[in-house]
Amino acid sequence: MTREKPGIREMRDHARDIFRHGLGAVDPKTCIYNCCCLKNNILKINNRPYDLDKFERIMVLGGGKAGASMASALEDILKDKITTGLVIVKYGHAEPLANIRLVEAGHPIPDENGMAGAEALQETAWTADEKTLVIVLISGGGSALMALPAPGLTLADKQETTRVLLGCGACIHEINTIRKHLSRIKGGLLAKAAYPATLAVLVLSDVVGDDLDIIASGPAVADSGSFAQCLDIIKAYKIQKSLPEAVVQYLESGSRGNIPETPKTGDPVFDRVHHTITAGNMDALLSAEKRARDLGYHTLVLSSMIQGETLDTAKVHTAIAREVLATGHPIKPPACILSGGETVVTLRGDGKGGRNQEFVLAAALDIQNLGKVVVLSAGTDGTDGPTDAAGAVCDPDTVKRAAALGLGAKEFLRQNNAYPFFEAISDLVKTGPTLTNVMDIRIMLIRS
């Protein structure tokens, strides 16, 4: 195998170190402790006071990959003041809790556990009244984990719709607009079920722009979408024939006014609902940036809101690396370029991988023999697509090292098959479940 250039190994280690520091800033427990405190029976959430003497019950509900950690911190703060609780998390993301029940379920494709858990969430919310404080814990992955099909639809309908949406190139805003209109709990319907209770919603954001009605499909937020918009999305991606017939018919019926719309702004069910974003992608990027500076790099955070096709995004990033090496713009080497957000992959093949691995494989092709450049991209939840890797890392010799094993990078990329490519050369980034989720972190290290 081709030997690494002097300094490349250190840069690869730096990239992984910088990523770990980004993760540390969005630890769910730390985020809850930073925004919640209890003193003299007054619970303050982001400086908003909740006098617990005015409530007869405290209920904790929620869903998302970070749900267990968020719930654990909340239990530590409130202890036995919690009357009842139920949070749905991804398989492998649970931890021991005292007063809050955890349900483990499927992600990104919903399963029966998620449906049963979502039904239990709704039934628990129905028992709330004006003397109930409902603390809702929301984090990325909640849309799939809280799967409660609308009347007339089945879990199989939801599963197939999710598969089609994830593979067509739609962004998360478009995907969740449709998900909300196929659910009995999303799009503000959890808040409606709990009305007239007081809701304090704590959100760990995994959505570009921190749009509350998109994160986990906004179970406690007024919905800005409509049935008509769902049909427009389906038309734009030409997926009507790929979706279950019952789903298309349901959305069409809703667009004709035969099915009630999701609750909108001004609906009284949101009068006693308050949201707090505990952390987001920029928090991770800024922590990663600080670590990169400590390691001696000039730093630039491009954006926490990168969207679009993964392959196009990779080309833009590698073009910036070339510019840094050629002209010293926008910053001089040694440079660390950081970005976040969430790209999409339009499936062309039937391989195994995820958007981060695909990004790195595309970047590896673009930076061949470029010099001292290292690219790492990974999901903060520790999972990239349907794999056990968070992402991958590459350098200018990655393609050569793989070729020495008989692996053609272009063909693996064409088949969306990045996972076995990087597995063969030991360049996958594996963290295990991180119990957090604030989208992706991309790191480019450049030395002259």
Side-chain angles (χ1 to χ4, degrees):
M1 296 182 71
T2 305
R3 296 185 65 183
E4 295 170 342
K5 292 182 176 67
I8 287 291
R9 170 52 58 186
E10 180 185 49
M11 292 171 67
R12 290 161 66 93
D13 290 342
H14 284 173
R16 291 175 182 270
D17 187 18
I18 291 166
F19 177 68
R20 285 193 296 270
H21 275 74
L23 284 180
V26 290
D27 173 72
K29 291 183 180 180
T30 301
C31 294
I32 294 294
Y33 291 136
N34 286 343
C35 73
C36 300
C37 68
L38 179 65
K39 186 176 182 180
N40 299 326
N41 223 32
I42 303 292
L43 175 64
K44 283 191 176 182
I45 300 179
N46 200 26
N47 291 322
R48 180 183 292 276
Y50 295 88
D51 186 349
L52 300 189
D53 289 331
K54 295 182 178 180
F55 298 101
E56 295 177 355
R57 291 190 299 160
I58 298 176
M59 184 182 294
V60 179
L61 303 176
K65 297 177 188 176
S69 291
M70 297 173 80
S72 176
L74 200 59
E75 280 196 344
D76 189 40
I77 293 169
L78 293 174
K79 298 189 169 50
D80 59 0
K81 295 182 182 297
I82 297 173
T83 309
T84 187
L86 174 62
V87 177
I88 308 173
V89 300
K90 182 179 177 178
Y91 292 117
H93 287 59
E95 60 180 274
L97 297 176
N99 300 312
I100 299 171
R101 176 187 163 209
L102 291 181
V103 173
E104 294 184 82
H107 179 280
I109 305 300
D111 66 4
E112 292 182 357
N113 269 14
M115 186 170 72
E119 192 165 24
L121 276 180
Q122 184 186 60
E123 291 174 352
T124 305
W126 279 336
T127 69
D129 56 26
E130 60 184 8
K131 292 288 188 180
T132 305
L133 172 63
V134 182
I135 303 176
V136 183
L137 306 178
I138 297 298
S139 57
S143 291
L145 294 168
M146 296 183 288
L148 190 57
L153 299 180
T154 66
L155 175 62
D157 290 331
K158 295 272 285 197
Q159 290 171 328
E160 185 57 27
T161 299
T162 300
R163 290 189 186 96
V164 172
L165 290 172
L166 290 176
C168 75
C171 71
I172 193 63
H173 289 71
E174 295 166 324
I175 292 172
N176 284 0
T177 294
I178 293 177
R179 279 169 158 170
K180 285 185 286 187
H181 286 83
L182 302 176
S183 174
R184 281 183 279 156
I185 199 169
K186 305 183 185 82
L189 293 176
L190 180 62
K192 184 175 182 178
Y195 182 78
T198 297
L199 270 65
V201 188
L202 300 174
V203 181
L204 190 69
S205 174
D206 74 326
V207 167
V208 168
D210 298 336
D211 293 343
L212 290 171
D213 69 328
I214 297 299
I215 303 167
S217 297
V221 188
D223 182 24
S224 61
S226 67
F227 282 107
Q229 287 178 350
C230 294
L231 294 175
D232 288 342
I233 294 167
I234 290 171
K235 182 179 179 180
Y237 289 96
K238 300 177 182 179
I239 55 175
Q240 180 168 344
K241 293 183 179 179
S242 301
L243 293 170
E245 184 177 353
V247 166
V248 176
Q249 290 178 349
Y250 183 86
L251 295 174
E252 289 176 341
S253 182
S255 70
R256 293 192 296 266
N258 297 328
I259 298 171
E261 261 291 359
T262 46
K264 308 301 181 187
T265 300
D267 193 307
V269 301
F270 303 114
D271 287 349
R272 302 175 72 179
V273 179
H274 305 285
H275 283 77
T276 297
I277 294 180
T278 63
N281 189 257
M282 183 55 78
D283 297 287
L285 292 179
L286 292 177
S287 179
E289 181 186 36
K290 182 180 182 302
R291 180 56 180 167
R293 285 177 178 167
D294 291 342
L295 291 171
Y297 293 92
H298 303 123
T299 62
L300 174 65
V301 175
L302 288 178
S303 173
S304 65
M305 303 186 185
I306 302 291
Q307 301 182 81
E309 277 287 341
T310 298
L311 298 182
D312 296 335
T313 304
K315 287 185 178 296
V316 171
H317 281 67
T318 54
I320 294 172
R322 291 178 181 276
E323 192 70 51
V324 170
L325 286 169
T327 70
H329 292 284
I331 56 174
K332 296 179 180 180
C336 174
I337 309 285
L338 295 156
S339 73
E342 189 170 284
T343 60
V344 297
V345 174
T346 301
L347 294 177
R348 305 171 304 282
D350 57 358
K352 181 180 181 181
R355 61 180 178 266
N356 289 286
Q357 295 161 62
E358 180 127 336
F359 175 92
V360 177
L361 183 51
L365 284 162
D366 280 354
I367 65 171
Q368 294 181 74
N369 304 311
L370 189 57
K372 292 183 179 179
V373 179
V374 167
V375 178
L376 183 150
S377 184
T380 54
D381 60 353
T383 305
D384 186 33
T387 76
D388 61 353
V393 61
C394 75
D395 59 60
D397 290 331
T398 291
V399 173
K400 287 182 180 179
R401 288 189 286 115
L405 297 177
L407 307 177
K410 288 184 179 180
E411 180 59 20
F412 276 81
L413 183 61
R414 189 178 72 81
Q415 291 295 328
N416 303 115
N417 204 21
Y419 182 94
F421 178 90
F422 287 114
E423 183 179 41
I425 57 176
S426 301
D427 277 351
L428 290 170
V429 174
K430 292 189 176 183
T431 62
T434 63
L435 306 182
T436 191
N437 187 13
V438 294
M439 299 184 286
D440 304 330
I441 296 176
R442 289 174 289 273
I443 302 164
M444 286 199 309
L445 301 181
I446 307 157
R447 287 180 178 172
S448 55

